[in-house]
Amino acid sequence: MRHGPRPEYVVRQAAQLVRGSPWLTGVSALTIALALTLVGLFAMILFNAGKMMHELGQSLTLSVYVQDATTPAELAALDKQVRAHEGVKSVTMLTREMDRERNRKLLDPELLKGLDEAALPGQPVLEVEIDADLASRGDVQELVEWTRSVKGVQSVEDVEFGAEKLRLLFAIVEIARTVGLVLSIVLLSSAMFFVFSTIRLAVFSRRDEIEILSLVGATPGFIRLPFLVEGALQGLAGALVAMLLLGLLHLELRSLVRDVYMLNATWSLLPPGMILWLILGGPAVGLAASAMSVGRYLKV
Amino acid sequence: MIQLYHVHKRFPNGCDALSDVTLRVREGEFVFLTGPSGAGKSTLLKLLLVMERVTDGQILIGGRNIHVLRDASVPFLRRNIGVVFQDFRLVPRRTVFDNVAISLEIMGLGRKEIERRVNQLLEGLRLVHRAQAYPGDLSGGEQQRVAIARALVNEPAILLADEPTGNLDPDLANDIMNLLLDVNRRGTTVVVATHDVALLERHGLRTLVLSRGSLVEDRPRVVRPNERLSQPIPIQALRAADPLAGRSTQPLSRDTAGEEP
């Protein structure tokens, strides 16, 4: 003879609890779904932003414009100084003519008709490719500091590098992270409150049954288990709805990134590990909330 | 089977529900517990079920001191004590079958075994045709028979009944009493709390009289050799189904009442 209840008995009782208050159960599952969708959405945005930053950092190019009067020795010293930085992958020296040629290629041939070649801008320049592991705004700041030190060299006229854009991007990501965290906590707390209340009402509506079960020799675990399973089921239902919503959001965001903003990046779905955590997160939230409710209101 | 030694129960409000109650109920005995309202009958039953703990004194059930029973062991003691209430206390959302099955579900029995035992008992109690009905659809007598079925289905050593006929008309009350007597004949120790004087006089069984929390009288069983105990009830059907087979020869372990399996 087994000591615990049969699994099918527990599931049947939990299903009866769901049937007892379908609307409330539905709302609880929906709040969990919304909370998990939001968590998943922010996770997706941050994951993709992180991926984009990483890709951006890997192919960062700095243009160090050198003054005309720079001597070969000064140029060699500058080249050495730039190469000394650990993130620098390669340094290519472009003469004035090469730079002018590059600029000419960038312009529309129609515009160049009848134009004096000498009017096109051109300046000796060091094209520096950097593989910077950009993980935060601090990393960008570090890179900015370094470019400032390069700019401080006498022979350098200017350093061009989209630092402000990068900094703005990182700032947006960091704000998104904070907002996402706060919203996720608020929504998850609300979802837990809903489950907590649903289970509390289920406990109250079954007080007579709980008393009878206790009198005929049911252990506290036997009496509590269906309520805990109900909470976990609400969470599981919420998680599955959240997965559906996240799948739709993923498709929408992917086409937005590709077609609307024409970003040279691919929008990826969350890694399988994160998806698994989100799916498990639903029942875990439901179970935790129902455990709190049962612990507080189901006295046997 | 049941022994009380100088049992005292005082409620938090200072009210003494039981004072210095000492009594003994032997295995297989049928005992009435009577007295006016507030005499302490229900409190005594609650103490036996460990719904309340004694303030002072000791209670032994099957030789085991329940005063020192851990909370975790209480459910396992209760599995050896069937209980029937005046208001039946059936779960309205469960069918007759499921109400009776509760006692077996908590023991973790398989579905087939539960079906076999419940159906057998319902058959004996003329309730098998009502197995899928809900308590709200049953008469008072039927509801009480379902409650008795629930109390008996796991073959307890003791059956406690608190005013089991209180809500029933005389014919149905007689029916229920005969059922309890039959259960007792099969070896179960039965304690019935009642203030129905007519019932006590009709059966002439051992009667413990409580008054203001004290045991004031212990009337022995009246022996009436030529008297039939009651009107006939479908005991033949009960015997045919024999749901309590083995009860009298091999009752649930009295010595291990309250122990975890």
Side-chain angles (χ1 to χ4, degrees), chain A residues 212-259:
Chain A
I212 291 161
L213 281 168
S214 173
L215 283 176
V216 298
T219 57
F222 182 94
I223 297 170
R224 289 181 178 136
L225 205 53
F227 294 96
L228 298 179
V229 170
E230 192 205 353
L233 283 178
Q234 287 179 10
L236 183 65
L240 295 177
V241 172
M243 286 306 114
L244 190 73
L245 290 175
L246 278 174
L248 296 173
L249 278 170
H250 161 72
L251 295 177
E252 190 61 28
L253 285 168
R254 190 176 61 175
S255 61
L256 261 181
V257 165
R258 193 184 52 208
D259 305 333

Side-chain angles (χ1 to χ4, degrees), chain B:
Chain B
M1 176 57 72
I2 300 170
Q3 293 158 281
L4 274 73
Y5 294 104
H6 307 289
V7 167
H8 191 104
K9 176 62 188 176
R10 171 173 287 178
F11 285 111
N13 61 6
C15 168
D16 287 318
L18 289 174
S19 302
D20 197 26
V21 174
T22 297
L23 61 88
R24 181 179 183 148
V25 177
R26 286 181 299 278
E27 185 175 337
E29 205 175 358
F30 192 115
V31 176
F32 279 122
L33 195 61
T34 190
S37 291
K41 304 186 295 287
S42 296
T43 303
L44 203 152
L45 295 186
K46 281 181 179 173
L47 289 176
L48 295 178
L49 276 169
V50 205
M51 290 166 77
E52 298 282 351
R53 296 272 188 174
V54 294
T55 310
D56 205 5
Q58 297 199 342
I59 298 178
L60 272 67
I61 294 181
R64 194 179 168 92
N65 188 345
I66 62 170
H67 185 50
V68 295
L69 204 64
R70 289 180 299 122
D71 283 347
S73 298
V74 171
F76 301 100
L77 170 81
R78 289 179 180 163
R79 291 178 192 183
N80 279 319
I81 305 175
V83 59
V84 178
F85 298 96
Q86 179 178 1
D87 57 358
F88 323 129
R89 303 232 186 142
L90 299 175
V91 183
R93 285 172 294 273
R94 296 192 189 214
T95 61
V96 165
F97 182 96
D98 286 337
N99 265 284
V100 178
I102 288 176
S103 302
L104 300 176
E105 292 280 9
I106 61 170
M107 293 167 76
L109 260 61
R111 190 71 190 165
K112 279 190 178 160
E113 177 65 7
I114 290 175
E115 280 174 9
R116 188 185 69 77
R117 287 169 74 164
V118 173
N119 285 330
Q120 202 171 39
L121 191 55
L122 290 179
E123 205 172 309
L125 293 170
R126 292 175 301 161
L127 283 167
V128 75
H129 65 293
R130 306 293 263 157
Q132 294 311 314
Y134 286 89
D137 303 328
L138 305 180
S139 68
E142 284 176 323
Q143 288 193 55
Q144 194 58 298
R145 277 189 283 148
V146 174
I148 291 172
R150 183 183 65 199
L152 294 177
V153 72
N154 62 348
E155 303 176 357
I158 299 168
L159 180 68
L160 305 178
D162 192 2
E163 304 282 2
T165 57
N167 274 354
L168 306 176
D169 62 45
D171 280 349
L172 288 174
N174 205 32
D175 227 27
I176 295 300
M177 262 313 296
N178 282 320
L179 183 56
L180 294 176
L181 285 165
D182 193 64
V183 167
N184 172 247
R185 271 184 224 115
R186 288 160 189 276
T188 304
T189 307
V190 179
V191 178
V192 176
T194 182
H195 61 260
D196 184 346
V197 178
L199 193 76
L200 301 173
E201 286 176 353
R202 188 160 61 245
H203 295 291
L205 294 162
R206 184 185 170 200
T207 305
L208 303 165
V209 185
L210 286 171
S211 177
R212 295 186 179 179
S214 297
L215 183 65
V216 292
E217 198 182 343
D218 185 348
R219 274 183 235 149
R221 183 173 188 271
V222 178
V223 181
R224 300 175 202 164
N226 300 323
E227 187 184 79
R228 281 186 68 182
L229 276 172
S230 54
Q231 297 298 313
I233 62 143
I235 289 174
Q236 274 69 27
L238 196 64
R239 281 183 186 141
D242 205 8
L244 306 172
R247 282 284 306 110
S248 53
T249 51
Q250 191 62 55
L252 286 181
S253 170
R254 268 72 167 150
D255 299 333
T256 55
E259 281 187 1
E260 293 175 35

Side-chain angles (χ1 to χ4, degrees), chain A residues 86-221:
Chain A
E86 63 177 305
V88 173
K89 269 199 300 194
S90 69
V91 180
T92 314
M93 173 72 197
L94 297 182
T95 60
R96 178 193 298 275
E97 288 67 33
M98 288 159 92
D99 185 40
R100 185 171 286 150
E101 178 62 19
R102 186 177 62 165
N103 289 336
R104 195 178 63 77
K105 280 182 182 161
L106 286 174
L107 291 170
D108 188 346
E110 287 294 316
L111 288 172
L112 295 171
K113 275 182 186 169
L115 197 71
D116 183 4
E117 278 281 313
L120 276 172
Q123 191 168 5
V125 60
L126 287 179
E127 288 292 310
V128 184
E129 271 186 49
I130 294 177
D131 182 359
D133 190 12
L134 298 179
S136 71
R137 214 151 28 134
D139 294 337
V140 181
Q141 193 55 35
E142 214 172 275
L143 201 61
V144 169
E145 306 269 316
W146 178 71
T147 56
R148 276 201 193 123
S149 73
V150 173
K151 204 173 173 180
V153 175
Q154 208 183 1
S155 54
V156 175
E157 193 173 290
D158 197 11
V159 178
E160 204 173 85
F161 146 64
E164 287 314 311
K165 278 184 197 164
L166 266 182
R167 264 200 287 218
L168 185 67
L169 214 56
F170 271 101
I172 290 169
V173 167
E174 277 172 24
I175 289 167
R177 189 176 290 148
T178 311
V179 171
L181 191 70
V182 171
L183 275 178
S184 300
I185 289 171
V186 169
L187 266 171
L188 279 174
S189 306
S190 314
M192 284 185 83
F193 176 74
F194 267 98
V195 177
F196 181 88
S197 303
T198 309
I199 300 297
R200 184 184 61 178
L201 287 174
V203 168
F204 283 162
S205 72
R206 304 237 159 181
R207 265 179 303 187
D208 53 345
E209 191 169 343
I210 290 165
E211 191 193 353
I212 291 161
L213 281 168
S214 173
L215 283 176
V216 298
T219 57

